[in-house]
Amino acid sequence: MQQPNSRPCSELMLRETASQTAGPYVHIGLALHVAGLPERDEEIWSQMARPEAEGEPIEVVGTVIDGNGDLVRDALLEAWQADAQGQYRPEFDLHKPFNGFGRTATTAEGGSEWSLTTIKPGAVTRGDGKVMAPHINLAVFARGINIHLQTRLYFEDEAETNAACPVLNAIESPARRQTLIAKREEVDGKVRYRFDIRLQGEGETVFFDF
Amino acid sequence: MQHDNKRYVERDRDWHPAAYTPGYKTSVARSPSQALVSLQAPSVSELTGPDFRRLRMGPHDNDLLLNYREDPALAGAAGLPVGERIIMFGRVIDQFGKPVPHTLVEMWQANAGGRYRHKKDAYLAPLDPNFGGVGRCLTDDQGWYRFRTIKPGPYPWGNGINTWRPAHIHVSVMGPAISTRLVTQMYFEGDPLIPICPIVQTLNDQEAVETMIGRLDMARSRPMDCLAYRFDLVVRGELQTYFENQ
């Protein structure tokens, strides 16, 4: 047994298991149909909201682009967002009309777009009472990414709340804040937001440590 | 605001691999060149995450010996994958040793010949008609998880002229919040390819490499059946905030 107080406190803590890249075959584990595998009864995928879900139905699409300007065709993304009231609902249940968690992937062929079918989240109040503008938390996994990259997607048509968002304002460069703003489009009467993730170089997306 | 009275031990970015690790060539164009923006005040957005207790799983989702049978009617060895039969098991705990119950653990791997069942894998080694290579389960109330599978084979890849991956199983764990999200790989104790793998070498610290090595556990091995490898996963430690921030 370890004698209390015999070592500095930090040594009484275990180290986190180290991260490794999800690799090019991540789909076998987390996106079965993309790998060409049959799906199981229930899979975690990109339809986060069904039409009857409360809130404004939206589609979110984008690409992932590397430092050479080339499409990253083997990326897997995870999304985590609040509901239309700005509340996080941890219980994942495919029988519910809305789940705050989803996965999507870029594609090996064509335009290589990922997409999510969801609802627009509400603004979220932080513990200190400050209001964060509506956002979707995104994590990016891929071959060549040693530890997943964490970012946030904000909405172009929330200019006022975006301007007051304490997290956007924590980004020192105002120009870089713009990398987190998804552009609103309307396609066949449906609302779609476009959010391209640039891993490196010009217009590099802001990634967070938290 | 229900979760803002907790936080997680800061992630040590020197312990994990850096984004830019030129020995692993693909990282060169896929690593951000700007610094990460630190959120000093984590919010409910980072301190919550999905709870998968209501995700319905199949009876063999954690048994890779049975979950991809070419023909479920095949009896005995005819319907089983080729390779060394193993149990991979362990516990998900946090940095303070606290078990992480009911969390989703997912894994994927190559077959015994080092070939993945993936559209993009064109390695010479054949697919195994009875092996898919994917598993998932929830940890129990003490944080334990277990899979039954075959030991994957090493395989070559196009990083250097003659670069090989050590045998490994990809492992994904959610933990209690998106802050604890972790994807890693389990390697097998004693594999001579571990120290010369460019992906393993993205880590600076040999002690960090040790956290990714599954250990042979003879006590949990089943006589005349399969060997067992133990692989515990440590996710970020949860801290409570006891005092008002003013």
Side-chain angles (χ1 to χ4, degrees), chain A residues 14-18 20 42 67 74 78 88 90 103 127 135 143-144 146 152 200 204 207 209, chain B residues 4 11-12 15-16 18 24 28-31 33 45-46 51 56 95 136 181 184 187 234:
Chain A
L14 301 169
R15 306 302 299 259
E16 197 182 0
T17 303
Q20 295 274 268
E42 292 197 349
D74 50 12
E78 288 184 347
Y88 284 93
R103 285 178 174 156
H135 62 279
R143 175 172 69 101
N146 291 320
R152 282 186 175 196
Q200 184 190 85
E204 183 178 307
F207 299 105
D209 188 19
Chain B
D4 287 14
R11 187 163 256 165
D12 182 346
W15 176 256
H16 289 289
Y24 173 27
V28 172
R30 294 186 171 192
S31 43
S33 51
S45 291
E46 297 82 31
D51 172 343
R56 207 172 67 227
Q95 286 178 276
R136 64 178 176 183
R181 184 83 180 92
T184 185
Y187 301 99
V234 181

mmCIF file of all heavy atoms in Angstrom, chain A residues 14-18 20 42 67 74 78 88 90 103 127 135 143-144 146 152 200 204 207 209, chain B residues 4 11-12 15-16 18 24 28-31 33 45-46 51 56 95 136 181 184 187 234:
data_model
loop_
_atom_site.group_PDB
_atom_site.id
_atom_site.type_symbol
_atom_site.label_atom_id
_atom_site.label_comp_id
_atom_site.label_asym_id
_atom_site.label_seq_id
_atom_site.Cartn_x
_atom_site.Cartn_y
_atom_site.Cartn_z
ATOM 1 N N LEU A 14 -3.013 8.349 -12.123
ATOM 2 C CA LEU A 14 -2.592 7.535 -13.263
ATOM 3 C C LEU A 14 -2.459 8.429 -14.495
ATOM 4 O O LEU A 14 -3.070 9.487 -14.575
ATOM 5 C CB LEU A 14 -3.637 6.450 -13.534
ATOM 6 C CG LEU A 14 -3.917 5.491 -12.381
ATOM 7 C CD1 LEU A 14 -5.150 4.636 -12.684
ATOM 8 C CD2 LEU A 14 -2.711 4.608 -12.105
ATOM 9 N N ARG A 15 -1.671 7.961 -15.454
ATOM 10 C CA ARG A 15 -1.593 8.667 -16.737
ATOM 11 C C ARG A 15 -2.696 8.131 -17.643
ATOM 12 O O ARG A 15 -3.020 6.950 -17.607
ATOM 13 C CB ARG A 15 -0.235 8.425 -17.412
ATOM 14 C CG ARG A 15 0.981 8.742 -16.562
ATOM 15 C CD ARG A 15 1.015 10.180 -16.079
ATOM 16 N NE ARG A 15 1.062 11.157 -17.145
ATOM 17 C CZ ARG A 15 2.161 11.789 -17.546
ATOM 18 N NH1 ARG A 15 3.317 11.573 -16.965
ATOM 19 N NH2 ARG A 15 2.102 12.662 -18.528
ATOM 20 N N GLU A 16 -3.207 9.045 -18.443
ATOM 21 C CA GLU A 16 -4.220 8.656 -19.421
ATOM 22 C C GLU A 16 -3.599 7.658 -20.425
ATOM 23 O O GLU A 16 -2.414 7.781 -20.756
ATOM 24 C CB GLU A 16 -4.663 9.931 -20.166
ATOM 25 C CG GLU A 16 -5.960 9.820 -20.912
ATOM 26 C CD GLU A 16 -6.317 11.112 -21.659
ATOM 27 O OE1 GLU A 16 -5.556 12.108 -21.604
ATOM 28 O OE2 GLU A 16 -7.348 11.117 -22.314
ATOM 29 N N THR A 17 -4.379 6.705 -20.914
ATOM 30 C CA THR A 17 -3.900 5.866 -22.016
ATOM 31 C C THR A 17 -3.583 6.787 -23.192
ATOM 32 O O THR A 17 -4.344 7.719 -23.482
ATOM 33 C CB THR A 17 -4.980 4.835 -22.417
ATOM 34 O OG1 THR A 17 -5.315 4.051 -21.270
ATOM 35 C CG2 THR A 17 -4.487 3.926 -23.524
ATOM 36 N N ALA A 18 -2.448 6.538 -23.843
ATOM 37 C CA ALA A 18 -2.037 7.425 -24.935
ATOM 38 C C ALA A 18 -2.921 7.227 -26.166
ATOM 39 O O ALA A 18 -3.417 6.139 -26.421
ATOM 40 C CB ALA A 18 -0.576 7.161 -25.283
ATOM 41 N N GLN A 20 -3.735 7.059 -30.254
ATOM 42 C CA GLN A 20 -3.138 6.704 -31.536
ATOM 43 C C GLN A 20 -4.146 7.036 -32.631
ATOM 44 O O GLN A 20 -5.364 7.066 -32.384
ATOM 45 C CB GLN A 20 -2.800 5.210 -31.595
ATOM 46 C CG GLN A 20 -1.724 4.782 -30.619
ATOM 47 C CD GLN A 20 -0.307 4.963 -31.171
ATOM 48 O OE1 GLN A 20 0.253 4.049 -31.748
ATOM 49 N NE2 GLN A 20 0.260 6.135 -31.010
ATOM 50 N N GLU A 42 -28.596 -1.783 -34.632
ATOM 51 C CA GLU A 42 -28.570 -0.352 -34.338
ATOM 52 C C GLU A 42 -27.154 0.169 -34.517
ATOM 53 O O GLU A 42 -26.207 -0.390 -33.963
ATOM 54 C CB GLU A 42 -29.055 -0.087 -32.897
ATOM 55 C CG GLU A 42 -30.540 -0.404 -32.736
ATOM 56 C CD GLU A 42 -31.145 0.220 -31.478
ATOM 57 O OE1 GLU A 42 -30.398 0.721 -30.618
ATOM 58 O OE2 GLU A 42 -32.391 0.194 -31.373
ATOM 59 N N GLY A 67 -3.425 20.247 -45.672
ATOM 60 C CA GLY A 67 -2.520 21.375 -45.863
ATOM 61 C C GLY A 67 -2.102 21.588 -47.299
ATOM 62 O O GLY A 67 -1.562 22.652 -47.650
ATOM 63 N N ASP A 74 -10.860 10.123 -45.958
ATOM 64 C CA ASP A 74 -11.043 9.031 -44.993
ATOM 65 C C ASP A 74 -11.215 9.551 -43.565
ATOM 66 O O ASP A 74 -10.763 8.933 -42.614
ATOM 67 C CB ASP A 74 -9.882 8.030 -45.085
ATOM 68 C CG ASP A 74 -8.516 8.710 -45.034
ATOM 69 O OD1 ASP A 74 -8.446 9.909 -44.703
ATOM 70 O OD2 ASP A 74 -7.519 8.026 -45.327
ATOM 71 N N GLU A 78 -17.384 13.146 -35.346
ATOM 72 C CA GLU A 78 -18.412 12.937 -34.325
ATOM 73 C C GLU A 78 -18.981 14.294 -33.924
ATOM 74 O O GLU A 78 -18.233 15.273 -33.777
ATOM 75 C CB GLU A 78 -17.828 12.247 -33.093
ATOM 76 C CG GLU A 78 -17.512 10.792 -33.360
ATOM 77 C CD GLU A 78 -17.012 10.017 -32.166
ATOM 78 O OE1 GLU A 78 -16.663 10.639 -31.135
ATOM 79 O OE2 GLU A 78 -16.942 8.786 -32.256
ATOM 80 N N TYR A 88 -28.416 19.727 -23.143
ATOM 81 C CA TYR A 88 -27.804 18.475 -23.593
ATOM 82 C C TYR A 88 -28.601 17.304 -23.031
ATOM 83 O O TYR A 88 -28.963 17.315 -21.849
ATOM 84 C CB TYR A 88 -26.340 18.407 -23.153
ATOM 85 C CG TYR A 88 -25.467 19.287 -24.019
ATOM 86 C CD1 TYR A 88 -25.193 20.606 -23.652
ATOM 87 C CD2 TYR A 88 -24.947 18.811 -25.214
ATOM 88 C CE1 TYR A 88 -24.422 21.425 -24.461
ATOM 89 C CE2 TYR A 88 -24.172 19.623 -26.027
ATOM 90 C CZ TYR A 88 -23.907 20.930 -25.649
ATOM 91 O OH TYR A 88 -23.136 21.732 -26.452
ATOM 92 N N PRO A 90 -28.095 13.502 -22.652
ATOM 93 C CA PRO A 90 -27.127 12.410 -22.824
ATOM 94 C C PRO A 90 -27.718 11.089 -23.295
ATOM 95 O O PRO A 90 -27.064 10.358 -24.036
ATOM 96 C CB PRO A 90 -26.518 12.252 -21.430
ATOM 97 C CG PRO A 90 -26.668 13.603 -20.801
ATOM 98 C CD PRO A 90 -27.984 14.128 -21.317
ATOM 99 N N ARG A 103 -22.523 10.491 -35.888
ATOM 100 C CA ARG A 103 -21.253 10.282 -36.594
ATOM 101 C C ARG A 103 -21.484 10.449 -38.084
ATOM 102 O O ARG A 103 -22.587 10.179 -38.589
ATOM 103 C CB ARG A 103 -20.718 8.861 -36.343
ATOM 104 C CG ARG A 103 -20.130 8.680 -34.978
ATOM 105 C CD ARG A 103 -19.665 7.247 -34.773
ATOM 106 N NE ARG A 103 -18.979 7.143 -33.488
ATOM 107 C CZ ARG A 103 -18.860 6.014 -32.805
ATOM 108 N NH1 ARG A 103 -19.341 4.889 -33.287
ATOM 109 N NH2 ARG A 103 -18.218 6.004 -31.650
ATOM 110 N N GLY A 127 -21.865 27.747 -16.955
ATOM 111 C CA GLY A 127 -21.959 27.813 -15.498
ATOM 112 C C GLY A 127 -21.816 29.219 -14.946
ATOM 113 O O GLY A 127 -22.386 29.552 -13.903
ATOM 114 N N HIS A 135 -24.278 26.045 -31.166
ATOM 115 C CA HIS A 135 -23.093 25.435 -31.783
ATOM 116 C C HIS A 135 -23.206 23.922 -31.737
ATOM 117 O O HIS A 135 -23.945 23.353 -30.931
ATOM 118 C CB HIS A 135 -21.811 25.878 -31.067
ATOM 119 C CG HIS A 135 -21.752 25.459 -29.627
ATOM 120 N ND1 HIS A 135 -22.391 26.166 -28.630
ATOM 121 C CD2 HIS A 135 -21.175 24.409 -29.031
ATOM 122 C CE1 HIS A 135 -22.195 25.569 -27.474
ATOM 123 N NE2 HIS A 135 -21.472 24.487 -27.673
ATOM 124 N N ARG A 143 -6.749 8.895 -40.510
ATOM 125 C CA ARG A 143 -5.354 8.528 -40.757
ATOM 126 C C ARG A 143 -4.517 9.809 -40.726
ATOM 127 O O ARG A 143 -4.933 10.834 -41.279
ATOM 128 C CB ARG A 143 -5.314 7.897 -42.153
ATOM 129 C CG ARG A 143 -3.987 7.538 -42.710
ATOM 130 C CD ARG A 143 -4.189 6.766 -44.002
ATOM 131 N NE ARG A 143 -4.714 7.618 -45.067
ATOM 132 C CZ ARG A 143 -3.979 8.150 -46.063
ATOM 133 N NH1 ARG A 143 -2.684 7.901 -46.135
ATOM 134 N NH2 ARG A 143 -4.527 8.904 -46.981
ATOM 135 N N GLY A 144 -3.386 9.777 -40.084
ATOM 136 C CA GLY A 144 -2.530 10.969 -40.040
ATOM 137 C C GLY A 144 -2.883 11.942 -38.943
ATOM 138 O O GLY A 144 -2.154 12.912 -38.723
ATOM 139 N N ASN A 146 -3.076 12.093 -35.105
ATOM 140 C CA ASN A 146 -2.608 11.261 -33.997
ATOM 141 C C ASN A 146 -3.520 11.326 -32.784
ATOM 142 O O ASN A 146 -3.595 10.376 -32.011
ATOM 143 C CB ASN A 146 -1.197 11.685 -33.578
ATOM 144 C CG ASN A 146 -0.167 11.355 -34.640
ATOM 145 O OD1 ASN A 146 -0.239 10.305 -35.256
ATOM 146 N ND2 ASN A 146 0.776 12.261 -34.860
ATOM 147 N N ARG A 152 -15.740 23.538 -33.073
ATOM 148 C CA ARG A 152 -17.147 23.867 -32.908
ATOM 149 C C ARG A 152 -17.663 24.495 -34.181
ATOM 150 O O ARG A 152 -16.957 25.305 -34.795
ATOM 151 C CB ARG A 152 -17.345 24.904 -31.786
ATOM 152 C CG ARG A 152 -17.260 24.339 -30.391
ATOM 153 C CD ARG A 152 -17.624 25.441 -29.408
ATOM 154 N NE ARG A 152 -17.679 24.940 -28.047
ATOM 155 C CZ ARG A 152 -18.262 25.588 -27.031
ATOM 156 N NH1 ARG A 152 -18.830 26.775 -27.254
ATOM 157 N NH2 ARG A 152 -18.279 25.080 -25.826
ATOM 158 N N GLN A 200 -4.991 22.570 -41.978
ATOM 159 C CA GLN A 200 -3.678 23.218 -41.920
ATOM 160 C C GLN A 200 -3.582 24.310 -42.972
ATOM 161 O O GLN A 200 -4.120 24.164 -44.068
ATOM 162 C CB GLN A 200 -2.621 22.140 -42.206
ATOM 163 C CG GLN A 200 -1.187 22.566 -42.096
ATOM 164 C CD GLN A 200 -0.266 21.468 -42.639
ATOM 165 O OE1 GLN A 200 -0.005 21.381 -43.834
ATOM 166 N NE2 GLN A 200 0.198 20.610 -41.753
ATOM 167 N N GLU A 204 -7.014 27.956 -41.786
ATOM 168 C CA GLU A 204 -7.023 26.796 -40.877
ATOM 169 C C GLU A 204 -8.101 26.943 -39.812
ATOM 170 O O GLU A 204 -8.209 27.968 -39.140
ATOM 171 C CB GLU A 204 -5.637 26.669 -40.235
ATOM 172 C CG GLU A 204 -5.483 25.463 -39.331
ATOM 173 C CD GLU A 204 -4.058 25.373 -38.770
ATOM 174 O OE1 GLU A 204 -3.081 25.401 -39.551
ATOM 175 O OE2 GLU A 204 -3.928 25.284 -37.530
ATOM 176 N N PHE A 207 -8.995 24.823 -33.681
ATOM 177 C CA PHE A 207 -9.202 23.601 -32.895
ATOM 178 C C PHE A 207 -8.953 23.917 -31.427
ATOM 179 O O PHE A 207 -8.091 24.731 -31.093
ATOM 180 C CB PHE A 207 -8.276 22.482 -33.390
ATOM 181 C CG PHE A 207 -8.538 22.107 -34.825
ATOM 182 C CD1 PHE A 207 -7.670 22.496 -35.833
ATOM 183 C CD2 PHE A 207 -9.684 21.388 -35.165
ATOM 184 C CE1 PHE A 207 -7.922 22.169 -37.163
ATOM 185 C CE2 PHE A 207 -9.952 21.065 -36.493
ATOM 186 C CZ PHE A 207 -9.073 21.457 -37.491
ATOM 187 N N ASP A 209 -8.511 22.967 -27.196
ATOM 188 C CA ASP A 209 -8.068 22.078 -26.128
ATOM 189 C C ASP A 209 -8.998 22.364 -24.960
ATOM 190 O O ASP A 209 -9.218 23.531 -24.629
ATOM 191 C CB ASP A 209 -6.611 22.412 -25.754
ATOM 192 C CG ASP A 209 -6.028 21.391 -24.792
ATOM 193 O OD1 ASP A 209 -6.571 20.266 -24.684
ATOM 194 O OD2 ASP A 209 -5.015 21.721 -24.152
ATOM 195 N N ASP B 4 -21.691 21.866 -14.648
ATOM 196 C CA ASP B 4 -20.575 22.804 -14.570
ATOM 197 C C ASP B 4 -19.831 22.773 -13.238
ATOM 198 O O ASP B 4 -18.868 23.496 -13.055
ATOM 199 C CB ASP B 4 -21.052 24.227 -14.884
ATOM 200 C CG ASP B 4 -21.347 24.375 -16.381
ATOM 201 O OD1 ASP B 4 -21.433 23.347 -17.067
ATOM 202 O OD2 ASP B 4 -21.474 25.512 -16.847
ATOM 203 N N ARG B 11 -5.649 17.467 -20.064
ATOM 204 C CA ARG B 11 -5.005 16.484 -20.942
ATOM 205 C C ARG B 11 -3.555 16.925 -21.169
ATOM 206 O O ARG B 11 -3.307 18.066 -21.564
ATOM 207 C CB ARG B 11 -5.775 16.430 -22.254
ATOM 208 C CG ARG B 11 -5.338 15.365 -23.205
ATOM 209 C CD ARG B 11 -6.393 15.106 -24.274
ATOM 210 N NE ARG B 11 -7.110 13.865 -24.009
ATOM 211 C CZ ARG B 11 -8.263 13.506 -24.573
ATOM 212 N NH1 ARG B 11 -8.851 14.314 -25.417
ATOM 213 N NH2 ARG B 11 -8.820 12.358 -24.294
ATOM 214 N N ASP B 12 -2.621 16.015 -20.926
ATOM 215 C CA ASP B 12 -1.201 16.330 -21.081
ATOM 216 C C ASP B 12 -0.819 16.107 -22.548
ATOM 217 O O ASP B 12 -0.649 14.979 -23.002
ATOM 218 C CB ASP B 12 -0.375 15.423 -20.159
ATOM 219 C CG ASP B 12 1.115 15.727 -20.215
ATOM 220 O OD1 ASP B 12 1.549 16.441 -21.157
ATOM 221 O OD2 ASP B 12 1.845 15.252 -19.335
ATOM 222 N N TRP B 15 2.283 14.117 -23.437
ATOM 223 C CA TRP B 15 2.184 12.672 -23.207
ATOM 224 C C TRP B 15 1.576 11.998 -24.446
ATOM 225 O O TRP B 15 2.063 10.979 -24.916
ATOM 226 C CB TRP B 15 1.292 12.465 -21.981
ATOM 227 C CG TRP B 15 0.959 11.061 -21.601
ATOM 228 C CD1 TRP B 15 -0.221 10.414 -21.815
ATOM 229 C CD2 TRP B 15 1.801 10.133 -20.902
ATOM 230 N NE1 TRP B 15 -0.165 9.148 -21.295
ATOM 231 C CE2 TRP B 15 1.063 8.942 -20.729
ATOM 232 C CE3 TRP B 15 3.122 10.192 -20.417
ATOM 233 C CZ2 TRP B 15 1.582 7.824 -20.081
ATOM 234 C CZ3 TRP B 15 3.632 9.072 -19.776
ATOM 235 C CH2 TRP B 15 2.870 7.921 -19.615
ATOM 236 N N HIS B 16 0.561 12.602 -24.983
ATOM 237 C CA HIS B 16 -0.045 12.115 -26.231
ATOM 238 C C HIS B 16 0.872 12.485 -27.390
ATOM 239 O O HIS B 16 1.714 13.372 -27.267
ATOM 240 C CB HIS B 16 -1.419 12.769 -26.422
ATOM 241 C CG HIS B 16 -2.437 12.262 -25.451
ATOM 242 N ND1 HIS B 16 -2.958 11.004 -25.516
ATOM 243 C CD2 HIS B 16 -3.008 12.848 -24.365
ATOM 244 C CE1 HIS B 16 -3.826 10.829 -24.530
ATOM 245 N NE2 HIS B 16 -3.876 11.929 -23.811
ATOM 246 N N ALA B 18 2.177 14.367 -30.640
ATOM 247 C CA ALA B 18 1.948 15.686 -31.229
ATOM 248 C C ALA B 18 1.182 15.494 -32.542
ATOM 249 O O ALA B 18 1.143 14.393 -33.099
ATOM 250 C CB ALA B 18 3.282 16.365 -31.495
ATOM 251 N N TYR B 24 5.816 9.718 -39.197
ATOM 252 C CA TYR B 24 4.538 9.176 -39.690
ATOM 253 C C TYR B 24 4.069 10.165 -40.742
ATOM 254 O O TYR B 24 3.498 11.198 -40.454
ATOM 255 C CB TYR B 24 3.569 9.053 -38.512
ATOM 256 C CG TYR B 24 2.146 8.654 -38.873
ATOM 257 C CD1 TYR B 24 1.846 7.901 -40.014
ATOM 258 C CD2 TYR B 24 1.095 9.017 -38.040
ATOM 259 C CE1 TYR B 24 0.542 7.541 -40.313
ATOM 260 C CE2 TYR B 24 -0.222 8.658 -38.326
ATOM 261 C CZ TYR B 24 -0.485 7.922 -39.472
ATOM 262 O OH TYR B 24 -1.781 7.566 -39.767
ATOM 263 N N VAL B 28 2.012 14.901 -41.765
ATOM 264 C CA VAL B 28 2.652 16.161 -42.161
ATOM 265 C C VAL B 28 1.640 17.164 -42.710
ATOM 266 O O VAL B 28 1.632 18.331 -42.320
ATOM 267 C CB VAL B 28 3.815 15.899 -43.158
ATOM 268 C CG1 VAL B 28 4.351 17.204 -43.736
ATOM 269 C CG2 VAL B 28 4.932 15.128 -42.458
ATOM 270 N N ALA B 29 0.760 16.728 -43.603
ATOM 271 C CA ALA B 29 -0.217 17.651 -44.198
ATOM 272 C C ALA B 29 -1.548 17.660 -43.445
ATOM 273 O O ALA B 29 -2.469 18.379 -43.825
ATOM 274 C CB ALA B 29 -0.451 17.307 -45.668
ATOM 275 N N ARG B 30 -1.655 16.848 -42.411
ATOM 276 C CA ARG B 30 -2.929 16.760 -41.690
ATOM 277 C C ARG B 30 -2.817 17.300 -40.267
ATOM 278 O O ARG B 30 -3.701 17.057 -39.442
ATOM 279 C CB ARG B 30 -3.424 15.311 -41.691
ATOM 280 C CG ARG B 30 -3.776 14.822 -43.105
ATOM 281 C CD ARG B 30 -4.414 13.440 -43.107
ATOM 282 N NE ARG B 30 -4.932 13.105 -44.440
ATOM 283 C CZ ARG B 30 -5.736 12.084 -44.683
ATOM 284 N NH1 ARG B 30 -6.106 11.268 -43.714
ATOM 285 N NH2 ARG B 30 -6.180 11.855 -45.905
ATOM 286 N N SER B 31 -1.747 18.002 -39.963
ATOM 287 C CA SER B 31 -1.553 18.535 -38.614
ATOM 288 C C SER B 31 -1.746 20.040 -38.620
ATOM 289 O O SER B 31 -1.164 20.745 -39.450
ATOM 290 C CB SER B 31 -0.134 18.193 -38.142
ATOM 291 O OG SER B 31 0.798 18.416 -39.187
ATOM 292 N N SER B 33 -1.177 23.856 -38.011
ATOM 293 C CA SER B 33 0.061 24.598 -37.748
ATOM 294 C C SER B 33 -0.163 25.675 -36.701
ATOM 295 O O SER B 33 0.790 26.168 -36.100
ATOM 296 C CB SER B 33 0.614 25.196 -39.042
ATOM 297 O OG SER B 33 -0.400 25.915 -39.709
ATOM 298 N N SER B 45 -20.990 22.003 -22.629
ATOM 299 C CA SER B 45 -20.746 21.423 -23.957
ATOM 300 C C SER B 45 -19.649 20.354 -23.923
ATOM 301 O O SER B 45 -19.724 19.360 -24.644
ATOM 302 C CB SER B 45 -20.335 22.510 -24.955
ATOM 303 O OG SER B 45 -21.411 23.367 -25.232
ATOM 304 N N GLU B 46 -18.617 20.585 -23.108
ATOM 305 C CA GLU B 46 -17.507 19.634 -23.044
ATOM 306 C C GLU B 46 -17.668 18.633 -21.911
ATOM 307 O O GLU B 46 -17.020 17.590 -21.901
ATOM 308 C CB GLU B 46 -16.179 20.374 -22.819
ATOM 309 C CG GLU B 46 -15.779 21.318 -23.928
ATOM 310 C CD GLU B 46 -16.477 22.663 -23.823
ATOM 311 O OE1 GLU B 46 -16.780 23.103 -22.696
ATOM 312 O OE2 GLU B 46 -16.762 23.273 -24.873
ATOM 313 N N ASP B 51 -24.771 8.827 -23.524
ATOM 314 C CA ASP B 51 -24.883 7.641 -22.670
ATOM 315 C C ASP B 51 -25.551 6.557 -23.523
ATOM 316 O O ASP B 51 -26.686 6.734 -23.971
ATOM 317 C CB ASP B 51 -25.743 8.025 -21.456
ATOM 318 C CG ASP B 51 -26.090 6.834 -20.581
ATOM 319 O OD1 ASP B 51 -25.961 5.682 -21.032
ATOM 320 O OD2 ASP B 51 -26.530 7.070 -19.438
ATOM 321 N N ARG B 56 -29.225 -0.689 -28.571
ATOM 322 C CA ARG B 56 -29.477 -2.124 -28.564
ATOM 323 C C ARG B 56 -28.356 -2.856 -29.293
ATOM 324 O O ARG B 56 -28.083 -2.585 -30.454
ATOM 325 C CB ARG B 56 -30.832 -2.425 -29.206
ATOM 326 C CG ARG B 56 -31.444 -3.717 -28.687
ATOM 327 C CD ARG B 56 -32.857 -3.899 -29.186
ATOM 328 N NE ARG B 56 -32.869 -4.101 -30.632
ATOM 329 C CZ ARG B 56 -33.687 -3.469 -31.463
ATOM 330 N NH1 ARG B 56 -34.541 -2.582 -31.018
ATOM 331 N NH2 ARG B 56 -33.638 -3.719 -32.755
ATOM 332 N N GLN B 95 -8.315 8.516 -14.140
ATOM 333 C CA GLN B 95 -6.952 8.724 -13.643
ATOM 334 C C GLN B 95 -6.834 8.593 -12.128
ATOM 335 O O GLN B 95 -5.740 8.513 -11.600
ATOM 336 C CB GLN B 95 -6.444 10.098 -14.079
ATOM 337 C CG GLN B 95 -6.095 10.155 -15.554
ATOM 338 C CD GLN B 95 -5.642 11.542 -15.943
ATOM 339 O OE1 GLN B 95 -6.446 12.407 -16.218
ATOM 340 N NE2 GLN B 95 -4.341 11.768 -15.939
ATOM 341 N N ARG B 136 -18.119 -4.404 -30.287
ATOM 342 C CA ARG B 136 -18.480 -3.320 -29.376
ATOM 343 C C ARG B 136 -19.160 -3.909 -28.151
ATOM 344 O O ARG B 136 -19.755 -4.991 -28.223
ATOM 345 C CB ARG B 136 -19.407 -2.300 -30.053
ATOM 346 C CG ARG B 136 -20.748 -2.876 -30.454
ATOM 347 C CD ARG B 136 -21.658 -1.813 -31.074
ATOM 348 N NE ARG B 136 -22.895 -2.428 -31.529
ATOM 349 C CZ ARG B 136 -23.870 -1.794 -32.168
ATOM 350 N NH1 ARG B 136 -23.751 -0.508 -32.459
ATOM 351 N NH2 ARG B 136 -24.968 -2.421 -32.530
ATOM 352 N N ARG B 181 -13.162 11.456 -24.398
ATOM 353 C CA ARG B 181 -13.125 10.664 -25.634
ATOM 354 C C ARG B 181 -11.699 10.281 -25.959
ATOM 355 O O ARG B 181 -10.790 11.127 -25.936
ATOM 356 C CB ARG B 181 -13.710 11.514 -26.769
ATOM 357 C CG ARG B 181 -13.821 10.804 -28.093
ATOM 358 C CD ARG B 181 -15.075 9.978 -28.152
ATOM 359 N NE ARG B 181 -15.225 9.282 -29.415
ATOM 360 C CZ ARG B 181 -14.787 8.030 -29.644
ATOM 361 N NH1 ARG B 181 -14.166 7.365 -28.699
ATOM 362 N NH2 ARG B 181 -14.972 7.450 -30.810
ATOM 363 N N THR B 184 -7.416 4.726 -29.395
ATOM 364 C CA THR B 184 -6.024 4.286 -29.283
ATOM 365 C C THR B 184 -5.863 2.946 -29.991
ATOM 366 O O THR B 184 -6.737 2.540 -30.772
ATOM 367 C CB THR B 184 -5.604 4.242 -27.800
ATOM 368 O OG1 THR B 184 -4.218 3.930 -27.711
ATOM 369 C CG2 THR B 184 -6.406 3.236 -26.995
ATOM 370 N N TYR B 187 -1.416 -2.928 -28.511
ATOM 371 C CA TYR B 187 -0.374 -3.778 -29.083
ATOM 372 C C TYR B 187 -0.190 -4.992 -28.191
ATOM 373 O O TYR B 187 -0.701 -5.022 -27.070
ATOM 374 C CB TYR B 187 0.930 -2.968 -29.196
ATOM 375 C CG TYR B 187 0.747 -1.739 -30.069
ATOM 376 C CD1 TYR B 187 0.524 -0.477 -29.499
ATOM 377 C CD2 TYR B 187 0.747 -1.845 -31.447
ATOM 378 C CE1 TYR B 187 0.315 0.644 -30.295
ATOM 379 C CE2 TYR B 187 0.545 -0.719 -32.251
ATOM 380 C CZ TYR B 187 0.337 0.516 -31.674
ATOM 381 O OH TYR B 187 0.125 1.613 -32.463
ATOM 382 N N VAL B 234 -7.282 3.946 -19.399
ATOM 383 C CA VAL B 234 -7.373 5.019 -18.406
ATOM 384 C C VAL B 234 -7.842 6.286 -19.112
ATOM 385 O O VAL B 234 -7.194 6.763 -20.047
ATOM 386 C CB VAL B 234 -6.018 5.277 -17.713
ATOM 387 C CG1 VAL B 234 -6.157 6.386 -16.671
ATOM 388 C CG2 VAL B 234 -5.492 3.997 -17.069
#
